[in-house]
Amino acid sequence: MEKPLLKDGKIIYPNKLKLKKNIKIGLIGSGNIAQRHADVVLSFNHKIDVLLTKSYSKKTELFKKKYNVSSHFISIKLFKEYLNINKIDAIIVCVSWNNSNKIFNKLLDIKIPVLFEKSLNLSLKSLQKIKKYKYLNNFSFAYNRNYYDFWPTLATFSFKNLPEIIQANLPDTFDQIIKKRGVTIRPYLIKYITSHWITFLYTYLKILGSPIDLSFKNIDLEKISINNTRVLKMMLNNKFKTILIISLIPNNSSKTKIEIFSNKYNFIMQPLENLKIYDVLNKKIIKKNNIYYQNKKIDINVDTKFKPGFRAQYYDFVNSKILKRYESFQSISIKDLKVIYKICELLK
């Protein structure tokens, strides 16, 4: 079955996500996420032409052999020179969170599209200061949950019956992340992990034509803090009225859950890799007791052949940024990232 995508807010059904044009990619990084991206690039018969890593290693040599990489550098200066000479179509950046700013700043003068693995270790204030570079619009940030297989279904049913309440329960595992990454990541935790879910919510509203802008125009905001718990309640009155409630409850024993209510449908994503849509509340009488249960209309799990969302994300990146066939509603730009980071900072 062909995987549907969204284009200009409409559903399209590409022929098994094929891309006929030959594309040459420059890749920065050779870790696990870089391999996931490389698998996707090769699945379209595209080429990883050049690789940039911080050092030479046996692991990198195995990566080059596996993905048939032509050239390899450990100098970003030489890497950038190679890009210009050899007409590379785009760059995919997969570096660790503590190196993201350094690499980002060194790519600001790049003329070709860049797909940058989330997220940047930057404040909103720092992002807003980056204005002088003419190629900022070439950057897209790889929030792959924006490309889960159920998006067309979620969008279709939401357009039919617009959401009135959106609730996000975010029990992000801050303690586990600190244990793995070290205490230096503590100030950055919300952007490191919580931004994934904020981006999903932001994109959902953008696709429905009710985006949140940086000025928070037509939004009434209420913030509640209890110990480490943060709750944001946003009343949006843009194209339609919606209440967005975001609850950040670090290290709670619950699961991440996004639930959406319209006056007809109940959408539940728990975990986010699964979408269930309920349309009717049914009743049974058992031993003279009324028993209520929801009628499940839709139940979709994401495809896991590749890392969920990666293949659709790359397809959209090539079509919107490299081939410039349309403007993507699911891609995250610098402009979008500023709004997402503003919401993240409100949750501090």
Side-chain angles (χ1 to χ4, degrees), residues 101-314:
N101 293 358
K102 179 181 177 181
I103 296 297
F104 175 72
N105 288 326
K106 289 186 176 181
L107 294 178
L108 286 171
D109 59 346
I110 289 289
K111 298 179 182 180
I112 60 176
V114 179
L115 182 62
F116 204 103
E117 264 295 333
K118 70 282 181 191
S119 50
L120 290 177
N121 186 6
L122 287 175
S123 66
L124 171 60
K125 186 176 181 180
S126 298
L127 268 180
Q128 289 177 310
K129 289 180 179 178
I130 304 172
K131 295 178 180 178
K132 65 179 180 178
Y133 296 95
K134 62 187 291 187
Y135 304 115
L136 280 177
N137 288 335
N138 287 343
F139 281 84
S140 300
F141 295 89
Y143 283 94
N144 57 298
R145 289 163 183 82
N146 282 7
Y147 294 92
Y148 278 179
D149 301 326
F150 58 65
W151 266 103
T153 302
L154 175 61
T156 299
F157 279 87
S158 296
F159 275 120
K160 288 178 181 177
N161 210 248
L162 291 169
E164 297 180 355
I165 299 175
I166 305 167
Q167 292 183 333
N169 178 67
L170 310 178
D172 287 338
T173 55
F174 286 178
D175 286 350
Q176 291 182 25
I177 295 170
I178 292 170
K179 186 177 180 180
K180 182 177 181 181
R181 303 293 180 189
V183 294
T184 54
I185 200 173
R186 190 187 298 276
Y188 178 57
L189 282 167
I190 292 177
K191 287 167 187 167
Y192 181 80
I193 182 64
T194 312
S195 67
H196 295 57
W197 328 119
I198 302 302
T199 302
F200 183 94
L201 297 167
Y202 170 85
T203 303
Y204 176 69
L205 290 166
K206 183 170 70 167
I207 286 172
L208 293 184
S210 186
I212 301 173
D213 65 20
L214 193 59
S215 68
F216 276 29
K217 185 179 179 181
N218 298 323
I219 295 176
D220 294 326
L221 177 69
E222 182 180 353
K223 179 178 176 179
I224 303 168
S225 301
I226 305 173
N227 297 321
N228 291 325
T229 296
R230 301 287 183 270
V231 179
L232 283 181
K233 184 172 79 171
M234 305 171 74
M235 174 70 82
L236 285 73
N237 188 16
N238 294 326
K239 183 178 178 181
F240 53 87
K241 289 186 177 181
T242 308
I243 299 173
L244 172 60
I245 302 170
I246 302 171
S247 302
L248 176 61
I249 317 167
N251 309 309
N252 187 264
S253 58
S254 59
K255 294 181 179 180
T256 299
K257 180 180 181 180
I258 293 177
E259 189 165 12
I260 301 168
F261 303 89
S262 68
N263 62 19
K264 179 179 181 181
Y265 299 116
N266 177 205
F267 307 86
I268 297 177
M269 285 146 280
Q270 187 186 37
L272 207 66
E273 287 74 23
N274 172 262
L275 169 68
K276 291 183 175 66
I277 302 177
Y278 301 94
D279 61 347
V280 176
L281 186 64
N282 294 317
K283 183 178 76 172
K284 284 183 179 180
I285 300 177
I286 301 176
K287 295 181 180 180
K288 297 183 179 180
N289 293 316
N290 292 334
I291 306 297
Y292 294 91
Y293 64 96
Q294 291 177 288
N295 179 65
K296 186 165 60 179
K297 186 177 182 68
I298 300 287
D299 191 340
I300 303 175
N301 287 305
V302 300
D303 187 358
T304 57
K305 182 177 180 180
F306 296 90
K307 187 171 176 63
F310 265 41
R311 202 161 190 272
Q313 178 179 250
Y314 180 75

Side-chain angles (χ1 to χ4, degrees), residues 65-83:
K65 184 176 180 181
K66 179 178 179 181
Y67 297 106
N68 194 27
V69 179
S70 301
S71 300
H72 176 212
F73 299 96
I74 60 171
S75 161
I76 194 165
K77 180 182 177 182
L78 295 177
F79 175 78
K80 289 165 73 173
E81 289 175 359
Y82 183 93
L83 298 178

